Amino acid sequence: MAVSLSQHKGTAVKTRSRLRRQVRGRKKIFGAPDRPRLVVTRSARHITAQVIDDVAGHTLAYASTMEGDLRGNDGDKSAKARQVGELVATRAKAAGVEQVVFDRAGNKYHGRIAALADAAREAGLGF
């Protein structure tokens, strides 16, 4: 994977550090057809989860707080992340996926990331 971090010269140090951690993790994490990759993308307001088959380059399941049924729900951001975890797990199981590789994309396994992962595990997704 050839990702040039020199393209991010004007980027904040915190973001560059996260991108560096993300590249380091992507060297080891790969989503095969029998065990695809569960990628979590976090912004200040929303969280997104995708189940990706890296061999075919296809997204098998997707859930986000930007969807209409989750956008209007009450609760804090961690509660919404739990809902996204449950939703992506049910959609992945409907697509025939039982086991995934968790890709936290350079974020700490803490807070919303951990809440999403725990909810996906409780909904039956194995990782």
Side-chain angles (χ1 to χ4, degrees):
M1 175 167 189
V3 175
S4 175
L5 293 175
S6 64
Q7 300 293 324
H8 300 284
K9 289 184 180 177
T11 309
V13 175
K14 190 174 184 180
T15 305
R16 272 191 289 171
S17 298
R18 187 187 59 79
L19 288 171
R20 200 167 45 247
R21 286 190 305 269
Q22 183 177 7
V23 169
R24 195 166 55 228
R26 292 275 166 85
K27 288 185 214 173
K28 303 171 190 173
I29 299 170
F30 186 77
D34 58 332
R35 195 166 178 201
R37 182 168 52 107
L38 173 63
V39 185
V40 178
T41 308
R42 183 183 68 89
S43 73
R45 193 173 194 179
H46 295 287
I47 194 160
T48 304
Q50 297 181 67
V51 177
I52 298 174
D53 177 8
D54 287 325
V55 174
H58 293 295
T59 300
L60 305 173
Y62 170 83
S64 173
T65 55
M66 292 182 274
E67 295 180 17
D69 54 342
L70 292 178
R71 195 175 189 114
N73 290 355
D74 292 332
D76 59 347
K77 292 187 274 189
S78 293
K80 289 184 180 182
R82 279 186 221 98
Q83 292 173 347
V84 170
E86 293 169 3
L87 188 59
V88 76
T90 55
R91 289 178 181 174
K93 288 179 75 78
V97 176
E98 297 291 328
Q99 292 284 326
V100 295
V101 179
F102 188 65
D103 183 5
R104 58 188 172 83
N107 297 304
K108 288 183 180 179
Y109 187 83
H110 178 76
R112 290 189 279 158
I113 304 292
L116 187 143
D118 293 340
R121 278 193 196 102
E122 289 172 7
L125 207 55
F127 57 95

